[in-house]
Amino acid sequence: MFNSAVRFLKWLCPGSDSTFSKTNEKHIYPCFVELINFVAELVVRPLLDQQPTSFDEKPKRLVRSYRKTDVKPDNAEGRRRIDMALKCDALHYNNMSDDDEYDEDSIQFSEERLKAKDGRNDERPNYSRIFAVVEVKPDTSAANIEKGFAQLVEYSKGVYWNQHNRRFIWGLVSGGSNVKACILGPNFLLASQFMDVTTAAGRLELIGFLVNWSFCELPKLGYDPTIRFNRVHKCFTIEMADSNESKPTQTTYYLRKIVVFAERVFGRHTRCFVVGRQPPSLEANCDHSGDILIKDAWPEVSGSAEDDMRDESKLLKRVSNGLAGHSEFNGLYPKYISGGRMQIQNTHGDSVDDTTRTILGETVWAQLGDLPLRAHMRIAMSGVGEPLKTIQSIPELIVVIYDVMRCHMGILKHCQILHRDISEANILVRHDGTGVHGMLIDFDHAISITDDGYAKHAERTGTVPFMSVSNLENLQPKRTALDDWESIIYILCWLGTFGWNSDTRPSGSVADLNIASWDGNNVMKIANSKRDHMHSSDNFTGITKGFNPNIPYIAALKDIVEGLRAVLIDSHSDPDLRGAIIIQDRIPRDDSNDVFGGYEFKMRPDPFVERAAHWESISERLLAKLKIYAQGAKKLL
């Protein structure tokens, strides 16, 4: 311990070592590592001398630093190197039997472990085990600290991707001898004030963080205690409340496969797990082997769980009930089993909704102003499909799209719910004995409609390249089914150009194609581009000429998207419903003395707004047209 202290004292005591520079990142790395591991030894040292009388007095884990620094973590993509990383080693007090199913960590409590003689601390960081990322900068300049935050965000992606039970992530950013503790959640990155380790007060604050991390409950570290590794069955389990029962009970599901990973630091952190009701060892006797999907996400919510009308679990339950008597839609949508907002225990032991407000606490939350509230949602549903990229051909694609849109219209008719986020990510593919089928998923943005078919709210939702013009421009009246039909046309154009997997991607450059203007950050510019391209058949050719000619049946796809565009845009007896551009007419004036040339200019109605009032009849014609295409496609399969 003395040798460790000598190594980090040069960082804490400026001038004690003339060869040490606290503005040199590489000089700071070993000092920071030794300080963190020194504190860990002090935390656990009393346990070697006497047994505390209360469990609460014992540390639950040791927070240590990996000794390898400035290194690329194992299972990391690319060449990015992190400065330092911390891990949590669980402590077990000889109270686990061989029959105990759950274990936070395989680390055993021992004198050898405390002294790190087994070399565990010398391992390179692994994203599957990293508790916190540490970034070191030479000073506290605004540019360096901002760079440290940016790197923290970037490297935390690897933690979310590999750790499927992480709710939020801790981190440390050091500028010379000044350290900030950071917490990264679904829609926030918050940092403490600087803790100057050259002062007693600064050291006390930093050590306080390290010690609290060793003693606090698992949820406060950012982990989800309802997703654990079962060491008997050698698989992860996921706990869910069975909300269908009058007295809610916990149901344990056994993980089969992870199909959607959390790949971003900010946002919903959506994860999807294929699970069964029985452990893998008993799978042969299981009636639900691999056909249950659990979706775990952090969407924005409004108010309490009871008052939140955007709750996806409630909407999916309505869909399941509304379509229960319509067997023609079986397999085209996920059927609700159970789910809703997850709960977690607060500091008083009470169960509360697991939200960003709960994570940060009332005092911090009150200072954040208008930060949207996000809640931890988990839904179990039956029906599992594969990503759209698994389709084998354009004929399969058309059959899948037809299934999705007839299901979409069925949900609209029987459940009064509009999906509002038609995208390639929300379309799945299923293969069974009868052929290929589509499935419409993800009701995060779905919303109830009024009696006249309008969505009750008009906020901008969806994936930018596939958003309708009205959605991009946030036009009134509110959204209708035509917005989702417009999205389908954009999806088919996108897939015809860029393909859906490695076999159908174009070989040449696509940067100069017209369709590239459908993506970006300027939504009004994108909307104008789509208006221009959709306005006429000639204009639309500017998009279809960019389709990948190497994809079989690509000419058929061109005909299909042009046919759907014509039904949506052109085929109307009322001229106000035709086109996509707002036309300006020049009308002669009666007054011959008019100094402005004898003409006045009048804007025609916006055709997108005018068509919204006729959404039902236009949607019926679009579905009928797509049905004809799907019937033709099936003959080619």
Side-chain angles (χ1 to χ4, degrees), residues 163-447:
Q163 298 181 29
H164 314 298
N165 60 346
R166 286 307 288 264
R167 299 158 52 242
F168 59 89
I169 298 174
W170 286 97
L172 297 172
V173 173
S174 170
S177 59
N178 291 274
V179 181
K180 283 179 177 282
C182 307
I183 181 171
L184 296 89
N187 59 344
F188 57 79
L189 189 167
L190 301 179
S192 69
Q193 298 294 319
F194 277 118
M195 297 173 281
D196 186 351
V197 296
T198 65
T199 68
R203 289 192 294 273
L204 182 62
E205 285 185 285
L206 177 58
I207 291 171
F209 269 101
L210 300 174
V211 172
N212 284 333
W213 284 338
S214 296
F215 280 84
C216 71
E217 297 299 325
L218 199 62
K220 292 185 178 179
L221 295 180
Y223 295 97
D224 183 346
T226 65
I227 300 179
R228 300 181 291 173
F229 186 77
N230 184 304
R231 65 193 189 113
V232 172
H233 297 294
K234 299 188 183 334
C235 70
F236 279 92
T237 61
I238 303 174
E239 301 288 336
M240 284 197 63
D242 192 348
S243 54
N244 284 337
E245 299 186 7
S246 55
K247 189 180 239 182
T249 58
Q250 287 292 116
T251 300
T252 300
Y253 293 97
Y254 296 84
L255 181 63
R256 301 280 188 269
K257 182 170 62 172
I258 302 165
V259 291
V260 176
F261 294 76
E263 57 185 340
R264 297 179 181 178
V265 175
F266 303 118
R268 294 181 185 161
H269 290 173
T270 300
R271 300 175 172 101
C272 291
F273 310 100
V274 178
V275 301
R277 293 184 184 271
Q278 299 291 335
S281 57
L282 305 176
E283 191 170 22
N285 302 319
C286 177
D287 293 334
H288 296 277
S289 175
D291 69 345
I292 299 173
L293 184 80
I294 288 181
K295 178 180 179 180
D296 189 279
W298 286 79
E300 288 187 12
V301 297
S302 55
S304 65
E306 294 75 19
D307 300 329
D308 186 10
M309 299 310 296
R310 302 195 308 180
D311 184 333
E312 185 182 8
S313 65
K314 293 178 181 177
L315 291 168
L316 190 57
K317 189 173 183 179
R318 274 178 55 192
V319 170
S320 299
N321 292 337
L323 297 184
H326 300 275
S327 58
E328 67 270 26
F329 301 117
N330 284 349
L332 305 186
Y333 66 96
K335 293 185 178 180
Y336 175 85
I337 296 175
S338 65
R341 289 194 191 183
M342 294 296 293
Q343 292 203 318
I344 206 158
Q345 284 193 335
N346 62 15
T347 53
H348 305 294
D350 301 321
S351 292
V352 296
D353 287 347
D354 190 12
T355 67
T356 47
R357 183 173 186 166
T358 305
I359 290 172
L360 298 174
E362 294 297 331
T363 302
V364 174
W365 184 260
Q367 300 173 28
L368 297 181
D370 298 329
L371 184 71
L373 179 68
R374 288 183 179 266
H376 187 187
M377 306 286 294
R378 186 173 294 164
I379 308 171
M381 59 196 89
S382 63
V384 177
E386 297 295 329
L388 190 58
K389 66 182 180 181
T390 60
I391 59 170
Q392 300 297 312
S393 65
I394 283 177
E396 278 198 357
L397 171 64
I398 300 308
V399 172
V400 166
I401 293 297
Y402 172 64
D403 278 349
V404 164
M405 290 313 292
R406 69 185 178 93
C407 180
H408 172 280
M409 295 306 296
I411 292 171
L412 193 67
K413 178 180 178 180
H414 300 293
C415 311
Q416 291 74 53
I417 291 174
L418 182 64
H419 190 277
R420 296 199 311 164
D421 188 14
I422 302 295
S423 69
E424 57 181 335
N426 294 337
I427 298 173
L428 296 185
V429 181
R430 290 191 311 105
H431 290 88
D432 60 21
T434 64
V436 65
H437 305 281
M439 176 184 286
L440 179 61
I441 64 166
D442 198 343
F443 290 79
D444 270 354
H445 290 303
I447 196 167

Side-chain angles (χ1 to χ4, degrees), residues 1 41 55 66 75 105 137 158 174 195 207 224 257 331 414 433 439 463 488 490 574 609 629:
M1 290 181 66
E41 287 198 52
F55 179 79
Y66 288 94
N75 59 15
D105 198 310
K137 298 300 165 193
S174 170
M195 297 173 281
I207 291 171
D224 183 346
K257 182 170 62 172
H414 300 293
M439 176 184 286
T463 307
I488 280 293
Y490 297 145
D574 185 347
V609 174
Y629 293 140

Side-chain angles (χ1 to χ4, degrees), residues 82-93:
I82 63 175
D83 291 346
M84 294 171 52
L86 309 186
K87 62 175 180 171
C88 294
D89 291 344
L91 297 175
H92 304 306
Y93 298 95

